[in-house]
Amino acid sequence: MVNFTNKSMKLRILSIGLIVGLCCMLSYAAAGDETTNTEEKPLSQLEMRLQKKVSIDVSDVPIDVVIRQLAEQVDVDFIKSPKVTGNVTVTLTGVSVQEALQSILDVHGCSFIKGENVVRILSREEMPEISERLMTETFEIIYADVTEVVKALDKFKSAQGSVSSIQGTSHIIVTDTEGKVRDIATLIEKIDRITPQVLVEVRIYDVTCKDNLDLGIDWYAGRRTNYNSGGYPIDDSITVSKYGSDTYVSSITDPSIIAGFSAGTNKTATTTDGYLRFGLLNDHIDLNAQLRAELESIDAKLLANPRIMVLDNETALFDIVTEHPYVERTITGATVTETVKFKNVGIKLGVTPHVTRDGMVRMHILPEFGVVISQVQVATSNVPVVDTRKVDTIALVEDNHTVVLGGLRKKDTTQQINKVPLLGDVPILGRFFRFEGESTIITELVVFITPKIITQPILTETEQQALDMTEFDGPKPNNTKAEDEELKK
């Protein structure tokens, strides 16, 4: 029984050994087939000849002659384009024909193409384009405007490339050659960055300068009396006091004689800053004269103080206008059509800031100011006449500094002369019977613009306080008594 078992074990071991040996032989055969299949393709006759070593030493020899010498050494046929010209100076020893030919043609801006039996030598312009593999890449635009990026890349892509965008997710899809896609990725990395912001604060002042003058004598003279010019008594007892004491007691006079000249103009009457007054008073005569003059007054009024934050290279607009309606009539034959239109009058300001590399702000400023000075009657409508002042300028300002725009001024001058006929024209003495007034009003709009580069947009303490004042708890439900009783249950 034991012997049989040992024999069975030996047979089994022998069978396993045969199977393993057969598997190894099959694997070796398969490996041999694979090695045979992966062998490199043998070189062609032309490629073998181009690998032959040659030597050449020439100085300022036409390239045609050099190519002919190389061709004779290795027995290769070359065809040269007429555009390949020039002289060659070269010394080569023991290099392959292909390397020698490539080195000579590189210097002359040319190249060659290997065929089956012939080598063609062409200029760079004649070389056929080698098509690159197309690939598709998706880019996410975070800061820049997707539409503007697509417009820029559409001009940057190759002829066979395409650029599209997905507005909902701010992604763009680029399909182009591998080289172009790499260049586009580099370009997007540079342009898709955080855009600087500029806080533009504007103060617009209306500065008015008034220069008024009244020059002349405004006098009154007459007999002291208690009767008016009509002869009726004014008071039964008139006592003239001076410095608190009755100086002219019983100074009543009966004659009804009165005369006067009040010729002052109204240039300084309401706002007299300085005057000179003199007179003479006794029992019988009352003479009073006054000289008025106002030199200058300046008044500044803040018209607007807007503040707005704007992106770099974008335009901030400030409009503070009033619409003035007027009727425009259109006559076509016997048909009259009236249309109500409006003229915008007020303050308009456009500011386009650009942040420079050194932290300064370049601003394109366009202020416009309009004032209604009169109205013209046209048909059945009053058309406003608008006085408009505009400025278009570019300024370079440091961060948080102020640029001032002035010169938007208007000057109005009026003159007035009041005089007594005949007496006011008498030489020298006529000055006592003539009053001259002159008024000059100069209005000027002054604009102060302060740009501030914002790196971290946060509210200032004052702005936060103003924001807190606008907060409210919101509407609260107002329940009826029945609803309140229901909620208590």
Side-chain angles (χ1 to χ4, degrees), residues 299-311:
D299 182 24
K301 179 173 63 175
L302 180 62
L303 299 181
N305 182 206
R307 300 170 71 244
I308 190 171
M309 188 179 295
V310 61
L311 286 176

Side-chain angles (χ1 to χ4, degrees), residues 56-74:
I56 185 171
D57 184 8
V58 295
S59 176
D60 200 21
V61 176
I63 192 172
D64 296 352
V65 177
V66 175
I67 292 175
R68 190 181 306 112
Q69 292 179 6
L70 293 175
E72 290 175 353
Q73 291 188 47
V74 295

Side-chain angles (χ1 to χ4, degrees), residues 426-487:
V426 176
I428 301 177
L429 294 178
R431 292 281 184 179
F432 295 97
F433 302 94
R434 184 169 65 243
F435 221 106
E436 296 180 0
E438 182 177 301
S439 175
T440 302
I441 301 176
I442 300 176
T443 59
E444 181 176 6
L445 290 171
V446 183
V447 183
F448 299 87
I449 302 177
T450 305
K452 183 178 181 181
I453 302 174
I454 302 299
T455 56
Q456 187 177 2
I458 59 175
L459 293 178
T460 63
E461 183 178 353
T462 304
E463 293 169 340
Q464 185 63 48
Q465 291 176 359
L467 177 62
D468 294 340
M469 293 175 62
T470 63
E471 294 183 357
F472 62 98
D473 296 335
K476 297 181 179 179
N478 187 11
N479 298 330
T480 62
K481 293 182 178 181
E483 290 174 338
D484 292 335
E485 293 294 333
E486 186 68 24
L487 292 174

Side-chain angles (χ1 to χ4, degrees), residues 77-293:
D77 295 330
F78 292 108
I79 299 178
K80 184 184 74 68
S81 169
K83 294 184 178 181
V84 180
T85 58
N87 294 340
V88 178
T89 299
V90 64
T91 299
L92 298 174
T93 303
V95 298
S96 65
V97 177
Q98 180 171 335
E99 184 179 358
L101 182 62
Q102 186 66 59
S103 300
I104 294 171
L105 295 179
D106 285 343
V107 173
H108 289 75
C110 305
S111 187
F112 67 90
I113 298 177
K114 294 181 291 186
E116 293 184 4
N117 301 303
V118 179
V119 176
R120 291 180 294 166
I121 300 175
L122 306 173
S123 63
R124 295 291 187 191
E125 295 80 9
E126 296 173 317
M127 291 292 293
E129 293 185 0
I130 302 175
S131 59
E132 294 186 60
R133 182 176 65 89
L134 296 179
M135 63 178 298
T136 300
E137 189 73 27
T138 302
F139 300 93
E140 182 182 5
I141 306 301
I142 300 175
Y143 302 107
D145 187 347
V146 175
T147 304
E148 296 298 326
V149 173
V150 171
K151 289 181 181 178
L153 295 182
D154 191 62
K155 300 177 181 178
F156 186 76
K157 66 179 180 61
S158 63
Q160 63 267 37
S162 64
V163 180
S164 59
S165 64
I166 302 176
Q167 293 291 340
T169 58
S170 298
H171 284 75
I172 62 174
I173 302 172
V174 179
T175 300
D176 213 324
T177 62
E178 295 182 1
K180 275 293 182 181
V181 171
R182 286 195 300 269
D183 295 341
I184 289 174
T186 303
L187 178 62
I188 291 176
E189 183 180 357
K190 290 183 178 181
I191 64 177
D192 188 28
R193 295 183 177 181
I194 297 178
T195 303
Q197 298 184 92
V198 179
L199 178 64
V200 181
E201 181 176 0
V202 181
R203 294 186 181 184
I204 304 174
Y205 285 92
D206 183 8
V207 181
T208 302
C209 175
K210 296 180 181 180
D211 188 2
N212 298 329
L213 176 64
D214 278 345
L215 183 60
I217 298 178
D218 188 3
W219 58 270
Y220 172 85
R223 292 289 305 275
R224 291 190 54 78
T225 178
N226 61 342
Y227 291 92
N228 59 21
S229 59
Y232 298 98
I234 301 174
D235 196 353
D236 293 336
S237 61
I238 297 179
T239 301
V240 180
S241 298
K242 184 177 182 181
Y243 302 119
S245 61
D246 295 340
T247 305
Y248 303 104
V249 182
S250 303
S251 60
I252 302 174
T253 56
D254 292 334
S256 178
I257 301 175
I258 186 170
F261 169 55
S262 179
T265 65
N266 60 355
K267 300 305 177 185
T268 65
T270 57
T271 56
T272 301
D273 287 344
Y275 64 90
L276 175 63
R277 186 170 184 172
F278 60 91
L280 176 63
L281 178 65
N282 58 24
D283 294 343
H284 306 289
I285 300 176
D286 184 0
L287 178 64
N288 186 20
Q290 179 176 306
L291 176 67
R292 286 201 308 265

Side-chain angles (χ1 to χ4, degrees), residues 262-401:
S262 179
T265 65
N266 60 355
K267 300 305 177 185
T268 65
T270 57
T271 56
T272 301
D273 287 344
Y275 64 90
L276 175 63
R277 186 170 184 172
F278 60 91
L280 176 63
L281 178 65
N282 58 24
D283 294 343
H284 306 289
I285 300 176
D286 184 0
L287 178 64
N288 186 20
Q290 179 176 306
L291 176 67
R292 286 201 308 265
E294 178 190 27
L295 293 179
E296 185 179 38
S297 64
I298 299 177
D299 182 24
K301 179 173 63 175
L302 180 62
L303 299 181
N305 182 206
R307 300 170 71 244
I308 190 171
M309 188 179 295
V310 61
L311 286 176
D312 184 27
N313 291 320
E314 297 293 337
T315 301
L317 295 176
F318 306 90
D319 283 356
I320 307 174
V321 298
T322 302
E323 293 185 342
H324 291 261
Y326 67 95
V327 178
E328 183 181 82
R329 302 185 70 186
T330 304
I331 302 176
T332 306
T335 304
V336 178
T337 304
E338 292 187 348
T339 306
V340 178
K341 292 193 173 182
F342 297 88
K343 279 191 176 183
N344 293 331
V345 181
I347 301 172
K348 295 182 180 180
L349 178 62
V351 179
T352 305
H354 170 64
V355 180
T356 62
R357 288 191 297 269
D358 52 358
M360 301 188 71
V361 181
R362 179 179 178 270
M363 293 189 298
H364 186 193
I365 308 171
L366 294 95
E368 178 180 344
F369 306 95
V371 179
V372 177
I373 58 175
S374 63
Q375 290 187 342
V376 177
Q377 181 72 26
V378 178
T380 59
S381 175
N382 291 325
V383 181
V385 178
V386 181
D387 182 10
T388 303
R389 286 168 278 181
K390 299 180 181 179
V391 173
D392 188 347
T393 185
I394 297 176
L396 188 63
V397 189
E398 291 188 10
D399 180 24
N400 210 20
H401 282 60

